[in-house]
Amino acid sequence: MTSPDPALLSINTATVRAQWRLPQIIEALVRHGIRGIAPWRDQVDAAGLKDSAARIRDAGLTVTGLCRGGMFAAEDGQGRRAALDDNRRAVDEAVTLGARCLVLVVGGLPKDRTGRIVSKDLAGARSMVRDGLGELLDYARNAGMPLAIEPLHPMYAADRACVNTLAQANDLCDELGPDGRQGLGVALDVYHVWWDPALQREIARAGEHERLFAYHICDWLVPTRDLLNDRGMMGDGIIDLPLIRGWVEAAGYRGMHEVEIFSADNWWRRDPDEVLLTCRHRHADAS
Amino acid sequence: MTSPDPALLSINTATVRAQWRLPQIIEALVRHGIRGIAPWRDQVDAAGLKDSAARIRDAGLTVTGLCRGGMFAAEDGQGRRAALDDNRRAVDEAVTLGARCLVLVVGGLPKDRTGRIVSKDLAGARSMVRDGLGELLDYARNAGMPLAIEPLHPMYAADRACVNTLAQANDLCDELGPDGRQGLGVALDVYHVWWDPALQREIARAGEHERLFAYHICDWLVPTRDLLNDRGMMGDGIIDLPLIRGWVEAAGYRGMHEVEIFSADNWWRRDPDEVLLTCRHRHADAS
């Protein structure tokens, strides 16, 4: 396996979110010669949408995705309408930022306004996700913004996303908008899907429909000490990243490789310039 | 959904392992009117195999499974042979205990003798599991001991088991011994599979081949604070246990319901009589 093109490196801003605000991250990416960024909405909001869009444009960065829309399941119609309204705003923000896609973390079981899960009906939650996606897709198509469903690891099925395999995401796309060029696709994050025996086949299936919109990398640590914030830097864990990249490239993906690392006890505590330098090296050597 | 028959309750000894040794657990199950037990090999070893078998027999308990065999992947042939030898001993112990099956946690990526993972080749690990299972099956059939493959949650794919869905376990059974009456089947633990969109279909598939050998229950907590030892008591989490039990019963399963809870910060710290009492109540009310 040859090394990836260094120009394809993108940084999801969560990777240095504990250390820097968005304007600092944009400056740092330029300083490190990194050409892609995927910001989170709260960081954009804190820095101002128009100002952030201008800074990113002036820096010449590709926005590999905006994180994130989704969270479709809710206790009642009012909750679902509120989610849809927020998702429409996310689409608009992604358009302003010139993002390649809006990344969707679809939500888990329905919650009430306090965030408490109020139902164990997983199939029902999955239906709400399908319906919410369908509604949002109309809006996003009009806005010209591709939607990328991100399958999340099954350990997040209850509270974050009940789409837990690439097969499920592919099935949703087949049902709602089979041709990726029409604006519905997937964001593939190795952290969530590396274990899946059907991964190679489902990546090929996504490629056939031109629906691979984003590719996220990091690593799975053994042991993993926290379900949410203990992701590893590429090369520090057990994911065969070159193998999966090979599958993604064979499926026709030519986009960037976005590093997204939540790491409360390690990378979020380090000098963020060291983090970005390490991302560069590990992208070249271990991805 | 009607409540389950209280006579079907079985206790996996891990549920009170922090408080009691095996002889105490056997006495307590009798005291609480619980009629099934699934011991772990280390507890059996500590109490003595023959003495444990006699105590369990005298108590009239059904042994719903012996935990556990498996861990097939290894760094080299020597490691794989050592695993196979240990698995044969586990079969013999299960026979002595009169267990309904030997539960197999198949192992993750290959490790060296110190327990360090030495390969990222997940497909290769899965091949080793298939080969190891095939060899063990010959031995187990001669001994008359059914082998139950337990699919483990994908969060354990690297270090504990690379069989992570019921579909995968069903595929292995189809390949190695399709008719469950010939000694190869599955142990279904809701903790590992509740999230799977294909669960209902794959349970039915397992039932068609008479390969549902064991049914384990507990609950998935939100939030889950530890990947290994934060399982919930039935009713305290988000798994729709009556729904899954309905699928299992529809597939023809008439065996016991084995409670297996690893809970370092909660149930392992409580009075074990209270734990068993709670198991009885929650089996009746929330399973």
Side-chain angles (χ1 to χ4, degrees), chain A residues 1-2 188 199-210 212 215 241-255 257:
Chain A
M1 197 76 201
T2 54
L188 189 73
L199 185 57
Q200 182 177 12
R201 183 181 71 220
E202 293 295 330
I203 287 174
R205 178 181 165 202
E208 283 162 18
H209 296 276
E210 307 205 31
L212 277 174
Y215 179 55
L241 288 161
L243 179 75
I244 298 178
R245 176 167 59 87
W247 294 344
V248 165
E249 290 173 354
Y253 181 77
R254 297 290 177 267
H257 309 151

Side-chain angles (χ1 to χ4, degrees), chain A residues 120 126 154 168 195 197 227 237, chain B residues 120 126 154 168 195 197 227 237:
Chain A
K120 300 181 184 184
R126 286 169 171 157
Q168 249 186 305
W195 59 272
L227 271 78
Chain B
K120 300 181 183 183
R126 285 168 171 158
Q168 247 186 306
W195 58 272
L227 271 78

